[in-house]
């Protein structure tokens, strides 16, 4: 039975699928997401597999869908998500989807081509119309005789035919008219002048309205040019130069009557093309509407169809070629659902023969499956980032749900900061179903959102530890009356006015009756925030607290290894590994915890001045000596410490040699195995005469016969076991020392967070309250804004990230390495997840 505390039982199974119903069965299994398929054709090229034609057909349809999607985006439409997850289409339905999609693609190509052609023609007609209109102004004939003469003006709109040259009009004048890109006008004019030696008159004017560039699609204000010249050779040069500059040249009628008639015809053609283009746009919109409705569903269907055929390519055929055999990793508790899915797929395909599933024995390590929900997923991700759990070993995630936020809160303890973090996470939790929060593109935001429940617990635990430390934005709160009485101390002392004037700091003596009335009900007494030695007091308290919590945390990790030894039926490790590990840890560092609590209980304020130093006692314990200046904590302390050190040292060779010698003795002992007798973990029952080995179809016969062992297997196994155990022993013994010291980071970061918070309050908010006199109320608004920004940026984000990383390290290195291997791999079931389809 699988649970969060240990990965589920996973078995290797074979699916026997009839050829006619294999597609439907795989589709049904993909909808449920139960199995991880294995490739039974690893040596076969993807282009030589049985269903490569179907896969190519799916890829061709995907190309068609990409074209349709590009057309939608070109029209300014964004294809929406699929409203529901459709099932994979049957063969006949897939043909219908392919035909409809290709038909729509063909219609879109034709309509788009016609629209582009109509737009090009309409653009050319409009440009031609503007060229003729502007040309009329340039080439208009002079006024008739008798009319008042027009004043001469230097203007680009002045007619090219000067009235004084009217008597020379019998010469043949030719025109070249067209449009040019505005960026090329200067170079075009310069080259015309040099090539034609000035035997031309060129006029340039901007078009009254911008038009689309057929190459780039941008809106450009084109430039109209009209060039008059004499001689055919000059005209040929002008046309060649115009072609080189990609100019659009239009015919220019010679007579004014012809130009007027041409303008009238252009107006009619433009009107007809506009109506035709409008109808084409309407038809194109209708086709795009059909595509926008059907495309999301088609994409999901074809992607599912392609995934099914890729899975079928991983199956192998039996000798009759009528049945497909698939090999899968399957959770044992889901075997009934798998059989139901196969039965449902056979029924949908209309097959009279049902498919079935059969378990297969294997010596391979199955994948790891740990089912999570939205609450436990964040904590499981922290564990998986270190390494996926080995098959059915103890999962640290359920214990990290409590220990991780608590260790974080020890370093981040502040009521105000924890409340801000808690409210931020609570907002994400309450609005977790909002699509706007889930579909963000910022990777940092998505990381925060996925760990919203982790942040929620970290904030809640920080509020708790903040009350323990009695800190809210670095200031103490007086929830209960202080246990220290200054008035009693003043009444029973010789504090005179002169003494008070010369002593700004006063010492409260708890030995005076009534000065100290017992411990504070909860947390740190608020009077310590006013004391000059509050830092020394908190340092001692937090340092000892870090050591105690660290040793308890490591001891809990060692105890979790018991569940692994019992589950894997390695009970010899309980005596040869677990017992010496606990003796080594408790005899040295567990004894240190006992000394801390014993000193707290035995010594009171009356005899605190003669209390011995635990650190010196702990050093003398390893040196097998005693310090006369450091009084013993209890009678017979030196013999007890000597015995504990001897026990710790004696446990090291047991831990080093116990498991290798046990394995060596088992290998040398003769083995008699009765049929049906239970076997230890890692052992395989020998085959009886005439019995065949049933295993994975990927296993070769020589592998089954040899059992995977070589003649030198015993020696290599013993050497490997001894080296592994030696590394484990050295790592554990040295780690107990270094890991205990590593937990002092709880004390250091808690102190750093408190000091940073106090500095921020003193440097910012205190100035707004104290140093700004009567204008403080006005200036307090920007001061508080600066205080809020710095609090969020430094104390919440930077300090929070630092505490998170240190808590992560304490779990990965100091806690998990006591029992957790993390050498497994996840079960990746074949599933049609709606979020994966684009």
């Amino acid at each position: 039975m699988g649970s969060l505390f240990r990965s589920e039982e996973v078995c290797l199974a074979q699916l026997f699928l009839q050829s006619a119903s294999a597609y439907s069965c795989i589709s049904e299994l993909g909808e449920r997401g139960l199995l991880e398929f294995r490739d039974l054709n690893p040596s076969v090229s993807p282009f030589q597999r049985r269903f490569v034609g179907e896969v190519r057909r799916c890829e061709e349809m995907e190309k068609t869908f990409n074209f349709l999607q590009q057309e939608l985006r070109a029209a300014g439409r964004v294809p929406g998500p699929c409203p529901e997850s459709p099932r994979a289409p049957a063969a006949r339905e897939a043909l219908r989807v392919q035909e409809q999609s290709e038909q729509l693609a063909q219609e879109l190509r034709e309509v788009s081509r016609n629209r582009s052609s109509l737009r090009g023609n309409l653009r050319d007609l409009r440009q031609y119309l503007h060229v003729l209109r502007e040309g009329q102004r340039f080439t208009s004939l002079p006024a008739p005789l008798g009319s008042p003469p027009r004043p001469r003006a230097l203007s680009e709109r002045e007619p090219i035919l000067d009235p004084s040259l009217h008597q020379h009009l019998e010469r043949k004048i030719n025109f070249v008219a067209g449009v040019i890109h505005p960026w090329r006008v200067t170079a075009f004019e310069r080259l015309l002048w040099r090539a034609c030696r000035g035997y031309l008159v060129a006029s340039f004017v901007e078009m009254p309205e911008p038009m689309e560039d057929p190459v780039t699609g941008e809106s450009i204000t084109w430039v109209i040019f009209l060039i008059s010249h004499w001689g055919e050779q000059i005209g040929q040069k002008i046309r060649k130069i115009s072609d080189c500059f990609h100019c659009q040249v239009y015919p220019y009628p010679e007579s004014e009557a012809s130009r007027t008639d041409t303008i009238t015809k252009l107006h009619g053609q433009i009107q007809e093309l506009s109506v035709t283009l409008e109808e084409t746009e309407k038809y194109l919109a209708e086709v795009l509407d059909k595509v926008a409705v059907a495309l999301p569903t088609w994409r999901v269907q074809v992607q599912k169809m392609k995934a099914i055929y890729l899975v079928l390519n991983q199956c192998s055929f039996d000798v009759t070629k009528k049945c497909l055999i698939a090999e899968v990793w399957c959770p044992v508790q889901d075997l009934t659902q798998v059989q139901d899915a196969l039965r449902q797929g056979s029924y949908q395909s209309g097959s009279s023969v049902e498919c079935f599933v059969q378990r297969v024995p294997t010596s391979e390590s199955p994948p790891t499956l740990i089912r999570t929900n939205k609450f436990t997923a964040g904590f499981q991700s922290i564990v998986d980032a270190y390494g996926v759990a080995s098959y059915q070993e103890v999962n640290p995630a359920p214990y990290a749900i409590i220990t991780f936020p608590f260790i974080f809160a020890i370093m981040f303890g502040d009521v105000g900061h924890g409340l801000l973090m808690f409210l931020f996470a609570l907002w994400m939790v309450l609005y977790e179903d909002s699509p706007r929060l889930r579909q963000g593109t910022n990777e940092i935001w998505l990381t925060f959102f996925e760990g919203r429940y982790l942040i929620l617990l970290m904030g809640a635990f920080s509020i708790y530890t903040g009350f323990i430390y009695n800190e809210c934005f670095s200031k103490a709160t007086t929830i209960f009356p202080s246990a220290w009485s200054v008035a009693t101390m003043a009444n029973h002392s010789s504090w005179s006015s002169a003494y008070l004037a010369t002593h700004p700091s006063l010492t409260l003596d708890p030995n005076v009756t009534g000065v100290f009335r017992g411990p504070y009900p909860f947390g740190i007494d608020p009077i310590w925030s006013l004391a000059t030695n509050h830092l020394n007091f908190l340092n001692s308290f937090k340092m000892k607290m870090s050591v105690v919590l660290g040793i308890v945390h490591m001891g809990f990790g060692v105890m979790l290894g018991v569940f692994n030894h019992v589950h894997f039926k390695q009970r010899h490790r309980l005596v040869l590994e677990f017992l010496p590990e606990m003796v080594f840890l408790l005899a040295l560092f567990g004894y240190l915890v006992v000394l801390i609590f014993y000193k707290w209980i035995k010594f009171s304020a009356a005899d605190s001045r003669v209390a011995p130093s635990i650190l010196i006692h702990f050093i003398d314990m390893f040196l097998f000596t005693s310090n006369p200046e450091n009084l013993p904590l209890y009678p017979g302390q030196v013999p007890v410490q000597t015995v504990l050190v001897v026990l710790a040292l004696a446990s090291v060779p047991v831990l080093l040699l116990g498991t290798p010698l046990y394995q060596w003795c088992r290998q040398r002992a003769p083995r008699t195995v009765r049929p049906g007798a239970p076997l230890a973990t890692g052992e395989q029952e020998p085959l009886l005469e005439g019995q065949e080995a049933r295993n994975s179809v990927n296993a070769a016969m020589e592998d089954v016969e040899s059992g995977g062992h070589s003649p030198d297997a015993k020696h290599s196994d013993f050497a490997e076991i001894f080296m592994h155990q030696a590394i484990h022993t050295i790592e554990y013994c040295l780690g107990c020392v270094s890991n205990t010291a590593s937990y002092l980071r709880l004390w250091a970061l808690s102190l750093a967070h408190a000091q940073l918070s106090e500095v921020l309050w003193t440097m910012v908010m205190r100035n707004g309250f104290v140093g700004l006199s009567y204008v403080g109320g006005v200036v307090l608004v920007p001061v508080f804004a600066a205080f809020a920004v710095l609090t969020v940026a430094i104390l919440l984000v930077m300090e929070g990230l630092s505490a998170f990383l240190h808590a992560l390290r304490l779990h990965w290195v100091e806690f998990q390495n006591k029992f957790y291997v993390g050498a497994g791999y996840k079960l990746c079931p074949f599933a049609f997840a709606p979020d994966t389809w684009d």
Side-chain angles (χ1 to χ4, degrees):
M1 181 65 182
S3 65
L4 186 64
F5 297 92
R6 193 184 301 278
S7 62
E8 293 191 16
E9 184 181 357
V10 178
C11 67
L12 184 65
Q14 287 181 344
L15 305 181
F16 293 88
L17 310 173
Q18 190 188 12
S19 299
S21 59
Y23 180 88
S24 300
C25 292
I26 299 298
S27 175
E28 187 67 26
L29 291 172
E31 295 292 341
R32 304 193 183 191
L34 303 174
L35 308 176
E36 178 182 349
F37 286 83
R38 304 179 63 188
D39 191 0
L40 301 183
N41 307 304
S43 60
V44 181
S45 171
F47 301 101
Q48 297 176 350
R49 303 200 179 191
R50 181 178 180 84
F51 298 96
V52 64
E54 287 77 0
V55 174
R56 286 178 177 173
R57 188 178 67 176
C58 294
E59 292 176 350
E60 291 297 329
M61 285 192 284
E62 287 180 345
K63 292 180 181 179
T64 304
F65 297 158
N66 291 334
F67 168 75
L68 296 176
Q69 186 172 2
Q70 291 175 1
E71 291 295 323
L72 284 176
R73 291 178 177 175
R77 302 188 183 189
V78 179
C82 186
E84 57 183 9
S85 180
R87 300 182 66 88
R92 183 176 301 176
E93 186 179 357
L95 289 175
R96 180 183 60 82
V97 171
Q98 184 177 8
E99 292 177 358
Q100 292 182 355
S101 61
E102 291 179 353
Q103 182 180 359
L104 285 177
Q106 184 63 25
E107 290 182 5
L108 274 179
R109 290 189 183 94
E110 293 180 358
V111 175
S112 299
R113 190 184 306 112
N114 293 336
R115 183 186 61 174
S116 300
S117 178
L118 290 174
R119 283 182 174 179
N121 294 337
L122 185 60
R123 181 178 60 253
D124 291 341
L125 292 178
R126 287 177 177 174
Q127 289 180 352
Y128 192 16
L129 179 62
H130 285 296
V131 168
L132 292 180
R133 284 178 176 176
E134 295 300 328
Q136 285 283 78
R137 299 175 183 177
F138 290 127
T139 60
S140 58
L141 291 175
L145 296 176
S147 60
R150 292 184 302 172
R152 297 288 297 160
L154 300 176
S155 174
E156 292 184 353
R157 300 298 181 92
E158 190 67 23
I160 295 178
L161 301 181
D162 192 274
S164 61
L165 302 177
H166 182 63
Q167 61 273 17
H168 303 288
L169 285 180
E170 63 274 6
R171 297 181 181 178
K172 180 64 174 178
I173 301 177
N174 299 316
F175 296 93
V176 176
V179 295
I180 186 174
H181 196 282
W183 295 353
R184 305 189 184 105
V185 172
T186 304
F188 179 63
E189 186 176 8
R190 186 182 301 114
L191 186 58
L192 283 176
W193 181 259
R194 292 180 179 177
C196 300
R197 301 181 182 274
Y199 291 101
L200 54 85
V201 178
S203 299
F204 297 89
V205 63
E206 290 186 351
M207 193 176 293
E209 59 177 347
M211 290 190 181
E212 182 183 8
D213 187 355
V215 179
T216 61
E218 299 177 356
S219 182
I220 297 174
T221 302
W222 297 89
V223 175
I224 300 173
F225 63 87
L226 181 63
I227 304 172
S228 60
H229 60 89
W230 289 267
E232 187 62 27
Q233 293 182 354
I234 299 295
Q236 291 178 0
K237 287 184 179 181
I238 294 174
R239 289 183 177 83
K240 289 181 180 179
I241 295 174
S242 301
D243 293 339
C244 292
F245 280 86
H246 303 285
C247 301
Q248 185 67 34
V249 179
Y250 297 97
Y252 191 80
E254 297 179 0
S255 63
E256 187 172 355
S258 300
R259 290 193 292 269
T260 304
D261 186 41
T262 303
I263 291 175
T264 304
K265 292 180 180 179
L266 288 176
H267 278 295
Q269 293 177 5
I270 290 174
Q271 186 174 3
E272 292 178 0
L273 278 179
S274 299
V275 174
T276 306
L277 182 60
E278 184 178 356
E279 295 296 328
T280 305
E281 294 281 359
K282 289 182 180 180
Y283 181 70
L284 179 61
E286 294 177 359
V287 177
L288 290 176
D289 290 338
K290 296 179 182 179
V291 172
V293 172
L295 183 59
T297 303
W298 286 350
R299 291 185 70 92
V300 174
Q301 286 181 325
V302 172
Q303 286 175 348
K304 288 184 177 182
M305 182 179 174
K306 181 181 178 182
I308 292 173
Y309 282 122
L310 289 176
V311 170
L312 289 176
N313 276 334
Q314 296 179 358
C315 303
S316 65
F317 280 87
D318 65 346
V319 292
T320 62
K321 300 295 182 180
K322 295 181 180 179
C323 178
L324 279 80
I325 302 176
E327 202 168 276
V328 296
W329 290 112
C330 174
V332 174
Q333 69 173 5
D334 293 340
L335 283 173
T336 55
Q337 297 187 41
V338 173
Q339 187 61 52
D340 180 68
L342 295 178
R343 188 179 301 109
Q344 187 71 19
S346 300
Y347 173 76
Q348 292 176 359
S349 64
S351 175
S352 58
V353 180
E354 290 189 359
C355 305
F356 63 93
V357 58
Q358 179 182 357
R359 293 185 62 172
V360 177
T362 180
S363 58
E364 298 182 43
S365 177
T368 300
L369 173 62
I370 299 176
R371 303 183 194 268
T372 59
N373 52 33
K374 59 184 180 181
F375 176 76
T376 60
F379 299 94
Q380 189 64 50
S381 299
I382 291 177
V383 176
D384 292 342
Y386 174 80
V388 179
S390 300
Y391 179 63
Q392 289 204 326
E393 75 170 333
V394 172
N395 182 25
Y399 312 104
I401 294 176
I402 300 299
T403 59
F404 191 92
F406 182 66
I407 288 179
F408 170 86
I410 292 174
M411 298 177 281
F412 197 76
D414 190 287
V415 176
H417 301 155
L419 183 61
L420 293 177
M421 183 178 293
F422 178 82
L423 293 177
F424 171 67
L426 183 63
W427 170 72
M428 289 191 292
V429 170
L430 294 178
Y431 294 94
E432 62 183 6
D433 296 329
S434 174
R436 189 166 60 91
L437 296 181
R438 287 184 171 274
Q439 299 175 358
T441 56
N442 192 320
E443 186 176 355
I444 297 178
W445 164 253
L446 292 179
T447 302
F448 283 141
F449 184 76
E450 291 298 327
R452 58 192 179 279
Y453 288 98
L454 175 61
I455 300 175
L456 184 73
L457 289 186
M458 291 193 302
F461 277 75
S462 297
I463 295 174
Y464 169 74
T465 54
F467 280 115
I468 295 290
Y469 299 155
N470 200 357
E471 291 183 1
C472 180
F473 296 109
S474 78
K475 310 306 293 181
T477 57
T478 309
I479 303 176
F480 303 101
S482 175
W484 293 82
S485 176
V486 180
T488 305
M489 185 69 192
N491 295 332
H492 292 80
S493 63
S494 57
W495 290 350
S496 61
S497 300
Y499 182 84
L500 294 176
T502 57
H503 292 78
S505 299
L506 303 174
T507 302
L508 302 181
D509 189 357
N511 291 319
V512 177
T513 304
V515 173
F516 182 69
R517 297 187 294 268
Y520 194 67
F522 185 79
I524 303 295
D525 197 302
I527 199 172
W528 284 106
S529 63
L530 305 175
T532 57
N533 62 335
H534 75 284
L535 192 58
N536 295 333
F537 171 75
L538 290 179
N539 273 348
S540 176
F541 165 73
K542 292 183 178 180
M543 179 177 63
K544 295 175 182 178
M545 173 197 66
S546 302
V547 173
V548 171
L549 291 177
I551 294 174
V552 171
H553 198 211
M554 289 191 298
F556 178 63
V558 176
M559 293 184 64
L560 287 179
V562 175
F563 297 98
N564 283 333
H565 303 330
V566 173
H567 177 77
F568 294 117
K569 298 179 182 180
Q570 298 172 339
R571 301 186 185 276
H572 65 280
R573 294 182 181 269
L574 294 175
V575 179
L576 301 177
E577 291 187 11
F578 168 71
L579 189 59
E581 286 177 354
M582 289 300 295
V583 168
F584 186 87
L585 180 65
L586 296 180
L588 299 180
F589 303 99
Y591 176 69
L592 177 62
V593 174
V594 173
L595 291 182
I596 292 174
F597 280 98
Y598 182 80
K599 183 178 178 180
W600 281 344
I601 295 172
K602 182 179 180 181
F603 294 93
S604 62
D607 53 355
S608 60
R609 297 182 182 274
V610 297
S613 172
I614 296 179
L615 180 60
I616 295 178
H617 274 303
F618 198 61
I619 295 174
D620 293 338
M621 176 180 174
F622 289 96
L623 298 178
F624 295 100
T625 61
S626 60
N627 192 343
E629 299 179 358
N630 195 40
L631 300 178
L633 287 168
Y634 58 90
Q637 180 179 356
V638 175
V640 171
Q641 293 181 165
T642 304
V643 172
L644 291 177
V645 174
V646 171
L647 283 176
L649 295 177
S651 64
V652 175
V654 177
L655 182 61
L656 175 63
L657 302 175
T659 300
L661 291 178
Y662 174 80
Q663 297 288 352
W664 181 70
C665 293
R666 287 194 58 190
Q667 290 178 1
R668 295 194 61 183
R671 301 176 55 193
T672 57
V673 181
R674 293 180 293 102
L679 300 175
T681 303
E683 296 182 356
Q684 295 182 356
E685 183 177 356
L687 299 176
L688 301 179
E689 185 177 357
Q691 183 180 0
E692 296 182 358
R694 293 191 306 150
N695 207 322
S696 167
V697 297
N698 280 336
M701 183 58 65
E702 55 270 16
D703 297 333
V704 177
E705 292 175 353
S706 64
H709 297 287
S710 62
D712 299 331
K714 293 183 179 180
H715 304 286
S716 61
D717 287 349
F718 177 77
E720 183 179 352
I721 291 173
F722 179 78
M723 290 299 298
H724 181 272
Q725 192 65 25
I727 294 173
H728 172 71
T729 302
I730 296 173
E731 180 183 10
Y732 179 80
C733 295
L734 296 181
C736 284
V737 181
S738 62
N739 293 348
T740 303
S742 181
Y743 277 94
L744 293 177
R745 70 184 68 240
L746 300 177
W747 158 48
L749 267 78
S750 175
L751 177 64
H753 184 80
Q755 292 302 307
L756 274 175
S757 181
E758 184 177 354
V759 167
L760 185 61
W761 179 274
T762 304
M763 300 296 291
V764 181
M765 286 298 292
R766 186 174 179 274
N767 293 330
F769 284 120
V770 179
L772 298 177
S773 185
Y774 61 91
V775 298
V778 178
V779 182
L780 193 60
V781 175
V783 168
F784 177 76
F787 173 77
V789 171
L790 293 175
T791 298
V792 173
I794 297 178
L795 295 179
L796 286 182
V797 178
M798 295 179 61
E799 276 288 310
L801 181 60
S802 175
F804 177 86
L805 293 177
H806 284 282
L808 194 64
R809 181 241 153 78
L810 290 176
H811 277 77
W812 281 359
V813 179
E814 279 72 26
F815 173 63
Q816 290 182 187
N817 69 349
K818 300 296 186 296
F819 67 97
Y820 186 68
V821 178
Y825 60 101
K826 284 186 178 182
L827 177 73
C828 299
F830 170 69
F832 298 139
D835 297 337
T836 59
W837 309 117
D838 297 330

